[in-house]
Amino acid sequence: MKQGTKIITLDNGYHLWTNTQGTGDIHLLALHGGPGGTHEYWENTADELKKQGLNVQVHMYDQLGSWYSDTPDFDDPKVANKVLTYDYFLDEVEEVRQKLGIDKFYLIGQSWGGALVQMYAAKYGDHLKGAIISSMVDRIGDYTKHLAQIRETALTPDQLAYMKKCEANNDYDNDKYQELVELLNREYVDRKQPPAIAHLVDTMSKPIYNAFQGDNEFVITGKLKDWNFTDHLKDIKVPTLVTFGDHETMPMETGKRMAKMIPNAKFVSTPNGGHHHMIDNAPVYYDHLANFIKQVENGTFNQN
């Protein structure tokens, strides 16, 4: 498959930006988070896996509405109701797979992308060799409980009270509130503040992010507040790696439980890793990923 950028046209007429890096017969499709984020923290994945002695073709794309791909008119209720759904973004993954011409591949997704991995593996698992759920819970209640613990630990009582007051009043735009959000981001989400996810302008798709998440990573007011996939974990039949950072927004105990509930899964964690632990501690993150792929390829992968 040709390396580099390829624009694909979806059956709905919209265009998606895709990019392929690396060589070899192993294919890995990478899903970004957000929702409404970009592919950028996956850009060096092929190089990082090569450092681990593994040649992999890594395919990335920006989901519909995200930075490099087409943006629908979300102000149109008909468009928003059709696109801003779990089913749309799940089936988009399958269409991208078809348009790129890959099969029997590995699927990795971080955060929101990890939710898509869970859904895809349960519905379209016949196309997969393996699945990697990176920093995503199976039920949002575990996440919100952990967020409450994080805020109590990281903030002073006055700071926490101020955040809660702003959230109760739907007052997210004031500078003091956003400064507290940034304080939490730097400790638990983007610990290394990498250039790959730092820009002069904000590349996050606000309509998508707000619809599913809310204003920021530490408050859930969108559709994700009802996310619960626990009963379907048993439907993920392919070898699965569940990987969390040990200093992030997602609780590691949930990741361990998920790995026990998925029929053939293993849990690993990244020391000193925040929500983007593929950047915070790349050597460990990609060692885990490479070992998983090697074990699945040679038939030695064993669950916990």
Side-chain angles (χ1 to χ4, degrees):
M1 182 174 292
K2 185 178 179 181
Q3 292 185 340
T5 296
K6 178 182 179 181
I7 305 299
I8 62 173
T9 303
L10 300 175
D11 293 345
N12 59 21
Y14 293 115
H15 302 88
L16 297 187
W17 180 97
T18 77
N19 187 274
T20 296
Q21 299 292 327
T23 60
D25 297 327
I26 301 171
H27 295 268
L28 174 69
L29 180 61
L31 307 179
H32 64 71
T38 76
H39 71 283
E40 290 170 298
Y41 49 79
W42 298 123
E43 286 180 337
N44 65 336
T45 296
D47 288 340
E48 290 291 345
L49 289 173
K50 192 171 184 178
K51 292 177 185 177
Q52 303 291 339
L54 196 61
N55 290 319
V56 177
Q57 288 193 57
V58 178
H59 311 279
M60 303 159 278
Y61 72 99
D62 278 5
Q63 297 158 22
L64 186 64
S66 290
W67 191 248
Y68 288 101
S69 293
D70 279 357
T71 298
D73 180 8
F74 291 121
D75 290 333
D76 183 339
K78 292 182 180 179
V79 173
N81 290 337
K82 186 173 183 179
V83 175
L84 298 178
T85 67
Y86 290 108
D87 286 342
Y88 170 77
F89 286 103
L90 168 60
D91 291 337
E92 183 184 80
V93 179
E94 170 59 8
E95 187 171 356
V96 169
R97 178 199 71 80
Q98 295 176 17
K99 302 292 186 185
L100 292 179
I102 59 175
D103 205 353
K104 300 304 178 184
F105 67 106
Y106 295 87
L107 182 66
I108 188 170
Q110 186 263 352
S111 196
W112 157 252
L116 294 176
V117 169
Q118 293 174 54
M119 292 186 287
Y120 187 93
K123 182 176 181 179
Y124 296 110
D126 288 346
H127 295 292
L128 294 177
K129 283 186 175 181
I132 303 96
I133 302 166
S134 187
S135 297
M136 185 58 191
V137 296
D138 59 329
R139 59 191 183 206
I140 212 67
D142 290 15
Y143 174 61
T144 54
K145 289 178 183 176
H146 188 55
L147 289 182
Q149 295 170 352
I150 283 174
R151 299 209 298 186
E152 289 177 0
T153 300
L155 301 175
T156 68
D158 286 346
Q159 289 173 328
L160 180 58
Y162 185 81
M163 287 197 81
K164 289 182 176 180
K165 179 181 177 181
C166 290
E167 290 157 7
N169 294 328
N170 200 32
D171 178 21
Y172 297 105
D173 293 334
N174 72 77
D175 291 343
K176 183 178 178 181
Y177 179 84
Q178 291 301 327
E179 286 173 3
L180 293 173
V181 170
E182 183 58 24
L183 184 154
L184 295 170
N185 277 334
R186 287 179 177 273
E187 183 65 20
Y188 294 94
V189 181
D190 301 326
R191 289 169 63 80
K192 281 196 171 181
Q193 295 290 298
I197 52 176
H199 304 86
L200 294 175
V201 295
D202 188 0
T203 60
M204 182 68 71
S205 171
K206 292 294 180 63
I208 300 177
Y209 188 82
N210 294 158
F212 283 94
Q213 173 79 15
D215 177 80
N216 62 78
E217 292 294 285
F218 301 91
V219 59
I220 310 294
T221 57
K223 296 179 180 182
L224 278 168
K225 69 179 183 295
D226 299 318
W227 167 252
N228 191 323
F229 201 71
T230 306
D231 290 345
H232 301 286
L233 292 181
K234 67 182 185 300
D235 300 324
I236 300 176
K237 307 298 186 183
V238 298
T240 302
L241 183 68
V242 182
T243 173
F244 284 30
D246 71 358
H247 194 80
E248 69 151 292
T249 53
M250 300 289 173
M252 285 206 297
E253 291 306 312
T254 294
K256 294 175 183 178
R257 175 184 56 74
M258 290 169 64
K260 291 178 180 178
M261 295 184 71
I262 297 170
N264 189 18
K266 180 182 293 185
F267 175 82
V268 295
S269 62
T270 304
N272 301 313
H275 198 44
H276 290 111
H277 48 124
M278 74 287 291
I279 292 174
D280 296 330
N281 193 344
V284 172
Y285 183 91
Y286 284 105
D287 177 63
H288 288 319
L289 179 55
N291 284 335
F292 169 71
I293 294 175
K294 290 175 183 177
Q295 289 169 7
V296 175
E297 289 292 308
N298 63 29
T300 62
F301 177 75
N302 294 308
Q303 66 190 76
N304 290 340

